[in-house]
Amino acid sequence: VTNLLSGDLDSALHYFQESVLLKRACLGRNDITAADSLVEIGIILYMKGDLQGALSLFNEALEVYINDNRVNDNSVSDNNYNNSDTTTDLYSSCLDSIGRSYNNIGCVYYKMGDVHSSLQYMHKSLSAQRNALRLNSKAESALLSYALTQANTGYLKCKTDHLDAVALMEESLLVLESVIGVDNKTVTDVQNNISFAKQRC
């Protein structure tokens, strides 16, 4: 991560690729932590402009998250949230990973110029994150993730002239301001997008 933060994408890419190989060798091909590293590699490829490579890795990670036993475990269902805090937190965490993966895929499609596909994945992301949020005992983090995805969805809706774009972004702005404060670049970006949307929509 240090290499990634310092902008040394090639070194970061190498270490995350090595991490995936080691995790899969020790923990199996469908290990969640290996999927997390696949997402990091996908982000690096996205930053380097390899959109097809990023899309492929985000989809590979998504498949691992979806097939995780925590999602497919019948002991945790929409009607039975109170099995145990640990089980519920694990299920929520997996749903959050699924939601973030859909968000990542939506961002790649947007960068590729496919706003329609991007919007479809943002809606899937919001649905998964909404379900994760109602189960999450660490609500602030989940709420922030949801608000960011909702802001992205609002922006995409504005690009396709949906009338509810401004309302989505304004709702997410309130959450973002309450969680990360008003003196934040993300908050400023959402405010600018709201101004843009009000002029356009």
Side-chain angles (χ1 to χ4, degrees):
V1 174
T2 303
N3 290 313
L4 184 59
L5 293 174
S6 70
D8 187 357
L9 299 181
D10 292 330
S11 292
L13 181 62
H14 168 76
Y15 288 118
F16 280 118
Q17 287 171 330
E18 191 172 297
S19 171
V20 169
L21 292 174
L22 292 171
K23 287 175 182 178
R24 284 183 164 172
C26 294
L27 304 170
R29 177 157 184 80
N30 294 318
D31 177 68
I32 294 298
T33 62
D36 293 341
S37 294
L38 288 172
V39 169
E40 296 297 336
I41 295 169
I43 290 169
I44 293 169
L45 294 178
Y46 179 89
M47 292 171 70
K48 292 179 74 150
D50 181 359
L51 300 180
Q52 285 296 338
L55 185 61
S56 176
L57 288 172
F58 291 148
N59 276 309
E60 186 176 344
L62 177 62
E63 184 177 327
V64 172
Y65 295 135
I66 288 173
N67 291 318
D68 183 56
N69 290 333
R70 294 176 291 180
V71 173
N72 297 313
D73 184 354
N74 291 329
S75 68
V76 181
S77 68
D78 286 343
N79 300 321
N80 189 12
Y81 294 128
N82 297 318
N83 286 339
S84 76
D85 289 341
T86 303
T87 302
T88 303
D89 284 348
L90 289 172
Y91 183 61
S92 174
S93 173
C94 199
L95 284 175
D96 187 56
S97 294
I98 290 169
R100 284 184 288 111
S101 294
Y102 282 138
N103 181 71
N104 292 341
I105 292 167
C107 289
V108 172
Y109 277 120
Y110 178 75
K111 188 83 166 179
M112 290 176 162
D114 186 349
V115 175
H116 177 73
S117 294
S118 180
L119 193 54
Q120 285 180 322
Y121 277 93
M122 289 299 176
H123 282 295
K124 289 180 179 185
S125 176
L126 285 173
S127 177
Q129 289 183 24
R130 190 178 301 116
N131 287 328
L133 183 60
R134 64 183 178 169
L135 296 172
N136 198 319
S137 62
K138 300 173 189 86
E140 189 171 272
S141 172
L143 190 58
L144 179 60
S145 181
Y146 180 80
L148 290 169
T149 301
Q150 186 174 14
N152 289 342
T153 304
Y155 181 76
L156 289 172
K157 283 189 167 200
C158 178
K159 290 282 202 176
T160 56
D161 296 323
H162 281 78
L163 298 177
D164 62 341
V166 173
L168 278 174
M169 288 189 284
E170 286 177 337
E171 184 180 318
S172 69
L173 179 63
L174 292 174
V175 173
L176 293 170
E177 288 175 337
S178 70
V179 175
I180 58 177
V182 294
D183 296 326
N184 184 286
K185 182 183 180 322
T186 301
V187 170
T188 303
D189 289 345
V190 173
Q191 290 169 335
N192 291 338
N193 288 342
I194 290 170
S195 296
F196 169 77
K198 284 182 176 179
Q199 293 172 3
R200 180 180 171 121
C201 298

